[in-house]
Amino acid sequence: MSNLSLSALAAIPRHAQQMRLNKPEGIKLTGIGKTVQTPDGEARQVFYREGDPEFEAYIAELEEVVLPRNFMSFGVGKDGTSGPQMARRISSTFDQYYAGTADEKTIEGVLSDVVENLRSAYVERGFDPDEFMPKLLRDVYDVARLDNIHGAGNQSWKDSRQLAALYNGSDRNSNDVIYYDAKYYYQSEEMKTTLQEITRRIGRRYGVSQLDLPTSYPAGSIQQGLYSSYNTIINDNARNSTLNGNMVDETMVPPEGFRFFYKGNDAGMNRYPSSLPSDGTPESTFDGILHVWYGDWSYTGRVPVRQDPTRFPISVNMYDTVAGSGAKIPSQIVSALKNFDFFTMIQSGRYTPSHPRNLPT
């Protein structure tokens, strides 16, 4: 097809070689177009197809070379499973863990399978495991620690559905709910250490004794604001998705056994029982609803969030709401109650700029 020499392909950059290994599963490369320089110095656009010696040489060179930049994003296991498919398996396992249908042993088994699948694939391709195993283990660990927090937050959302339906008429279209359960905070914090131990045990089986396995994320990163802890994933959702609440200090350790449910009511459509009458004002049409539990103690009441900042505060503190009802509050949860504000979606644009996040570091 072309009398250009194969040496014209030698200048293919290494990142292009990486692209070959990382192309989406199921896509077959059947041709390549490239600008090359002819022996007389002219630039020419050429196109090579399957069967052309130049094309086959190009493919052979691409398939020869580099390790993926991230095993869980671009790697392929010995059985043909892609890195993203393995990542989804890890995520599903954490969902099962927080739903109570999987345990730590299950998580370790899944992570071990993923590591072995990827390791075997790249050893067979001729790579030295002593060189790539620390990176492989870190890539798997990074996915697992993110999914640990995501799984805890996801289970909180599932736990909220029954109460959401009580006030909404169904569990659909309830995007104004905040649900917090301290048990998921403690469970996910313990899992952080467990994941370090699991990863190091797997590493020792392959002769890897030195691993950098952080539990925090860089300041200002998306990961820090979402996946630092159970607190951060709940608060990111409250501030940036439901737009109706804020945890003042996301580093605060909650009292064990503390949990709450809050549902906003910007549309004025919540259905309240006769035991929760309004105060008779037009503004109470938009009251939120709050449930708090701590041991044998519980509270249920309306939350007087308001739409008009010219006549009302832009936010209502959880403690003030409960204390204002005359309820006797256990001393152990006073700080936790004071740590959360509620507001309407309309007021979120005023509230959040003046209340920057206090994130774990």
Side-chain angles (χ1 to χ4, degrees), residues 93-94 97 103-111 191 195 198:
T93 303
F94 275 100
Y97 174 72
D103 57 15
E104 293 177 6
K105 185 176 180 181
T106 305
I107 291 172
E108 182 161 0
V110 169
L111 298 184
M191 178 54 67
L195 282 175
I198 287 173

Side-chain angles (χ1 to χ4, degrees), residues 143-165:
V143 166
R145 67 175 176 138
L146 181 152
D147 284 329
N148 171 40
I149 301 301
H150 180 270
N154 192 38
Q155 188 59 44
S156 269
W157 180 83
K158 292 177 181 177
D159 289 351
S160 75
R161 295 302 84 196
Q162 185 175 358
L163 273 170

Side-chain angles (χ1 to χ4, degrees), residues 56 71 222 226 254 265 330 339:
E56 301 304 330
F71 285 91
I222 293 174
L226 268 171
N265 187 27
N339 198 37

